């Protein structure tokens, strides 16, 4: 668009760049508006027609505040490049860059980020980001003397305000009503919403004075007293991007839990996540706070459930094959898997979760005769490269989607690929259970598995995860939670398994239960323990 002009005035540039952002980067916004219109009868077509004009006037006014010599080109080149990426995520996957997604993005490692690079994303960046950025770099912006330039800028901004005022005069009630009924619209406005979210994250994470660190459960004591003298051993498997509706245990019609079917797992129905992205869910599920009162800044400044276990003298080990523990395990023994550590299981960019089974073998071989909790943070069903989450011998459902631009796969291919990840995770869980069964002469053992969040696979046009929780679909918030408890563990810890099975079938669980369930399962007595949130408390004799 800018290539048509050899020279532009500042105001011409401002209006053209605003028009480009409206016509290209805000296409997903107009898609959401279209969906809203279809659900609302008797919408004035002229009111709808004013929306792109309103947004163009508004962005022109806002952009005018930053069209300053020496700032203009570098700012809008960067803004165009970043907006191109945000646009692609929203257009192809319906991903919204709110505070939670910004937090998740900042905490994404290079290997994880590379999974999103494919032909479609590269072409999008070339066409909607790099090419316009190059034109911005090349265009000759004509600046008038300071006072004259300032006068022209003020007049331009007044004209934009006048345009907004005229539209508001005739359609203020329509905008107010439509906005109230479709609050999610603001989240799709590029670039204002993601800039606001990023600014908030940077302010909270890096600019605010750090909160004073709060230790929790310093009074914690391990009160377990097994009559046979065997210590308790719990392996907690933290899943990644697994949604419950693709598990056979939750009514799915494909055998995605074939490996654990005969191992007697307890299935906790109707379990929901704390967030829709790992950066939110992981610290939230291990914090003392529940989802409703969760505050990320406060969570980073206080002890987690694993810290309280450590205070009680429990040996805690964290092995990570995902993107790190997000601060949860910083104060206990933790190891992030080296992506080049095993040539059979690792490519240098990712490792299959079987690499954690090897770590578990090492931990069990060197285990002390004391109560122990081992956390395995798996990569599970992390997308969009689902096909890289399982080895070829575990490719049971075909045809599958052997590409990262999943929106270009058929629904059957995409679902098969995702189901293969669920089945492979089920295999990992079954192997954990087998290894614990081999340790029953040394430990009273148990396994607990739950995912951090779910995943959208094209339902309602949405892919991946990270949607704002208020508008997140059930596919992103409904998660599996499974438990295996050995006979000796249940007997020595006075846990009624029949009672637990009935309780689990009732449903109504969430990440809010994890903190106290871990403490209760490991017999930790502390003032921060809340038995009403412990999913095992009601079945303990």
């Amino acid at each position: 668009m800018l290539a048509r002009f050899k020279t532009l005035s500042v105001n011409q540039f401002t209006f053209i760049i605003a028009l480009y952002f409206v016509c290209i980067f805000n296409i997903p916004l107009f898609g959401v508006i279209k969906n809203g219109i279809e659900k609302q009868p008797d919408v004035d077509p002229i009111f709808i027609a004013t929306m792109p004009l309103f947004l163009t006037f508004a962005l022109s006014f806002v952009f005018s505040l930053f069209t300053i010599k020496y700032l203009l080109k570098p700012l809008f080149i960067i803004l165009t490049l970043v907006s191109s990426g945000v646009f692609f995520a929203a257009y192809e996957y319906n991903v919204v860059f709110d505070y939670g997604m910004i937090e998740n993005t900042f905490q994404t490692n290079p290997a994880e980020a590379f999974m999103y690079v494919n032909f479609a994303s590269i072409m999008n960046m070339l066409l909607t980001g790099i090419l316009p950025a190059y034109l911005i770099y090349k265009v000759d912006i004509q600046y008038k003397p300071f006072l004259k330039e300032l006068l022209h800028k003020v007049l331009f901004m007044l004209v934009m305000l006048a345009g907004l005022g005229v539209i508001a005069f005739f359609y203020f009630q329509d905008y107010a009503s439509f906005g109230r009924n479709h609050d999610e619209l603001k989240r799709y406005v590029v670039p204002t919403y993601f800039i606001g979210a990023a600014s908030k994250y940077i302010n909270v994470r890096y600019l605010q004075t750090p909160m004073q660190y709060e230790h929790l459960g310093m009074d914690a004591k391990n009160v377990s007293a097994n009559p046979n003298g065997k210590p308790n051993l719990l392996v907690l498997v933290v899943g990644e991007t697994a949604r419950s509706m693709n598990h056979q245990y939750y009514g799915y019609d494909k055998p995605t839990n074939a490996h654990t079917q005969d191992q007697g797992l307890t299935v906790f129905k109707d379990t929901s996540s704390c967030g829709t992205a790992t950066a939110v869910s992981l610290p939230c599920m291990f914090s003392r706070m529940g989802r409703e009162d969760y505050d990320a800044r406060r969570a980073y400044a206080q002890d987690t459930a694993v810290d309280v276990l450590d205070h009680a003298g429990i040996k805690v080990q964290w092995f990570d094959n995902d993107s790190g523990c997000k601060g949860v395990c910083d104060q206990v023994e933790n190891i992030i898997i080296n992506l080049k550590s095993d040539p059979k299981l690792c490519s240098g960019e990712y490792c299959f979760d079987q690499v954690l089974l090897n770590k578990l073998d090492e931990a069990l071989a060197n285990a002390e005769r004391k109560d122990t909790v081992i956390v395995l943070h798996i990569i599970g069903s992390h997308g969009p490269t689902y096909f890289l989450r399982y080895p070829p011998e575990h490719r049971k459902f075909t045809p599958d989607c052997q590409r990262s631009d999943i929106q270009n796969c058929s629904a059957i291919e995409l679902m098969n690929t995702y189901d293969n990840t669920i089945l492979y995770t089920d295999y990992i869980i079954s192997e954990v259970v087998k290894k614990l069964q081999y340790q029953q002469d040394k430990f009273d053992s148990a396994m607990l598995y739950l995912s951090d969040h779910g995943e959208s696979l094209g339902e309602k046009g949405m892919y991946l995860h990270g949607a704002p929780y208020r508008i997140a679909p059930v596919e992103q918030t409904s998660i599996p939670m499974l438990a295996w408890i050995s006979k000796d563990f249940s007997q020595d810890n006075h846990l009624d398994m029949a009672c637990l099975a009935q309780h689990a079938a009732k449903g109504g669980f969430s990440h809010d239960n994890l903190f106290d369930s871990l403490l209760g399962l490991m017999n930790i007595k502390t003032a921060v323990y809340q038995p009403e949130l412990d999913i095992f408390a009601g079945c303990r004799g």
Side-chain angles (χ1 to χ4, degrees):
M1 188 178 293
L2 295 175
R4 295 174 57 194
F5 301 91
K6 293 183 179 180
T7 61
L8 292 173
S9 70
V10 173
N11 290 342
Q12 286 174 331
F13 171 86
T14 304
F15 189 80
I16 290 172
I17 196 69
L19 194 60
Y20 177 73
F21 269 68
V22 170
C23 293
I24 302 299
F25 293 150
N26 281 282
I27 289 176
L29 168 67
F30 294 115
V32 176
I33 290 174
K34 177 178 177 292
N35 292 335
I37 293 170
E38 292 172 349
K39 298 176 183 178
Q40 186 172 324
D42 303 324
V43 180
D44 187 339
I46 300 178
F47 158 61
I48 300 302
T50 67
M51 288 184 174
L53 285 176
F54 189 93
L55 187 57
T56 301
F57 294 153
L59 288 183
S60 295
F61 180 86
V62 173
F63 286 171
S64 290
L65 299 173
F66 302 96
T67 50
I68 302 169
K69 192 174 184 180
Y70 306 120
L71 175 64
L72 184 151
K73 284 194 175 184
L75 173 64
F76 283 95
I77 286 173
I78 293 171
L79 189 61
T80 299
L81 292 173
V82 175
S83 296
S84 174
V86 171
F87 157 71
F88 182 77
Y91 183 76
E92 294 290 356
Y93 304 120
N94 211 358
V95 169
V96 176
F97 277 79
D98 65 342
Y99 182 92
M101 181 53 71
I102 293 293
E103 183 178 28
N104 205 45
T105 302
F106 270 81
Q107 296 186 22
T108 297
N109 59 44
E112 185 178 354
F114 190 74
M115 298 171 190
Y116 296 89
V117 177
N118 51 57
F119 179 78
S121 64
I122 292 172
M123 290 304 298
N124 170 78
M125 181 57 70
L126 286 173
L127 295 176
T128 70
I130 293 176
L131 178 59
Y134 174 74
L135 296 178
I136 293 171
Y137 171 74
K138 294 295 291 184
V139 72
D140 182 17
I141 306 295
Q142 296 293 306
Y143 296 92
K144 301 176 179 63
F146 177 75
L147 290 179
K148 191 173 183 180
E149 186 66 63
L150 180 63
L151 177 61
H152 278 248
K153 182 187 290 288
V154 170
L155 289 174
F156 176 79
M157 295 175 73
L158 288 175
V159 171
M160 296 301 103
L161 281 178
L164 293 171
V166 170
I167 294 174
F169 178 80
F170 288 101
Y171 292 105
F172 175 79
Q173 292 297 335
D174 297 87
Y175 273 94
S177 175
F178 198 81
R180 281 195 303 270
N181 293 332
H182 306 282
D183 183 64
E184 72 277 11
L185 288 176
K186 62 185 179 184
R187 298 181 172 90
Y188 288 86
V189 179
V190 177
T192 55
Y193 193 77
F194 81 78
I195 289 176
S199 300
K200 181 180 177 182
Y201 175 79
I202 292 171
N203 179 51
V204 169
R205 195 78 174 90
Y206 301 106
L207 302 181
Q208 290 186 3
T209 302
M211 298 178 68
Q212 184 175 357
Y213 195 88
E214 180 184 7
H215 289 290
L216 300 177
M218 297 305 292
D219 62 334
K221 293 182 180 180
N222 183 358
V223 296
S224 63
N226 293 350
N228 60 19
K230 291 193 297 182
N232 288 326
L233 168 62
L234 170 66
V235 175
L236 173 63
V237 182
V238 179
E240 168 68 64
T241 320
R243 64 188 205 180
S244 61
M245 56 276 298
N246 284 64
H247 283 69
Q248 188 177 0
Y249 288 128
Y250 291 83
Y252 196 46
D253 60 359
K254 291 164 71 174
T256 52
N257 295 116
H259 297 291
T260 60
Q261 275 293 316
D262 298 326
Q263 292 182 323
L265 272 60
T266 300
V267 180
F268 294 86
K269 302 290 186 179
D270 185 25
T271 303
S272 59
S273 66
C274 187
T276 61
T278 305
V280 177
S281 280
L282 197 62
C284 179
M285 65 198 285
F286 283 94
S287 78
R288 174 63 284 175
M289 295 170 280
R291 188 184 71 79
E292 293 293 339
D293 63 341
Y294 177 71
D295 178 85
R297 186 164 171 256
R298 186 152 59 100
Y300 282 107
Q302 64 178 214
D303 284 340
T304 66
V306 295
D307 294 323
V308 178
L309 291 170
D310 184 61
H311 298 333
I314 304 292
K315 181 176 177 60
V316 181
Q317 296 174 289
W318 185 295
F319 300 108
D320 205 296
N321 188 39
D322 201 3
S323 55
C325 70
K326 314 303 182 187
V328 172
C329 65
D330 287 355
Q331 300 183 87
V332 300
E333 180 184 342
N334 65 87
I335 294 175
I336 296 179
I337 298 298
N338 184 331
L339 300 182
K340 298 179 180 180
S341 61
D342 188 327
K344 293 182 179 180
L345 298 174
C346 302
S347 69
E349 296 178 358
Y350 64 88
C351 293
F352 296 125
D353 283 324
Q354 281 171 263
V355 73
L356 288 173
L357 298 179
N358 297 338
K359 286 296 180 184
L360 180 59
D361 284 336
E362 294 176 15
L364 294 177
N366 299 309
E368 303 174 38
R369 297 284 292 182
K370 64 182 298 186
D371 287 0
T372 301
V373 172
I374 299 174
V375 183
L376 305 180
H377 187 196
I378 67 175
I379 198 168
S381 303
H382 197 295
T385 51
Y386 307 115
F387 68 100
L388 298 179
R389 300 294 157 253
Y390 48 91
E393 62 269 23
H394 288 269
R395 186 186 179 195
K396 302 301 182 183
F397 303 113
T398 56
D400 55 353
C401 177
Q402 296 279 315
R403 54 198 296 176
S404 61
D405 52 340
I406 55 177
Q407 70 280 3
N408 292 318
C409 291
S410 70
I412 293 175
E413 291 172 335
L414 179 55
M415 199 63 70
N416 281 340
T417 308
Y418 185 80
D419 288 342
N420 281 331
T421 70
I422 300 298
L423 180 60
Y424 181 59
T425 294
D426 192 65
Y427 166 76
I428 298 297
I429 294 171
S430 72
E431 290 298 302
V432 170
V433 171
K434 290 177 184 177
K435 293 179 187 301
L436 293 180
Q437 289 173 332
Y438 296 148
Q439 298 291 324
Q440 291 190 69
D441 60 328
K442 300 177 183 177
F443 292 97
D444 285 348
S445 53
M447 185 282 306
L448 180 64
Y449 164 81
L450 73 170
S451 182
D452 57 355
H453 55 78
E455 185 86 327
S456 287
L457 297 172
E459 298 87 2
K460 301 176 182 177
M462 299 185 74
Y463 293 88
L464 304 177
H465 54 266
Y469 205 94
R470 286 179 56 193
I471 63 170
V474 66
E475 289 83 5
Q476 296 188 30
T477 60
S478 181
I479 58 168
M481 183 161 65
L482 312 170
W484 174 84
I485 297 172
S486 69
K487 182 178 179 180
D488 284 352
F489 189 102
S490 63
Q491 289 179 347
D492 294 339
N493 292 277
H494 310 290
L495 192 59
D496 185 335
M497 294 305 296
C499 167
L500 184 64
Q502 292 178 353
H503 179 57
K506 293 178 181 178
F509 307 102
S510 75
H511 278 163
D512 291 359
N513 297 113
L514 182 62
F515 188 103
D516 301 285
S517 298
L518 287 177
L519 298 185
L521 200 58
M522 296 304 292
N523 302 291
I524 306 304
K525 183 178 181 181
T526 170
V528 298
Y529 169 68
Q530 298 179 20
E532 66 275 13
L533 292 175
D534 178 0
I535 59 178
F536 303 102
C539 297
R540 192 176 291 115

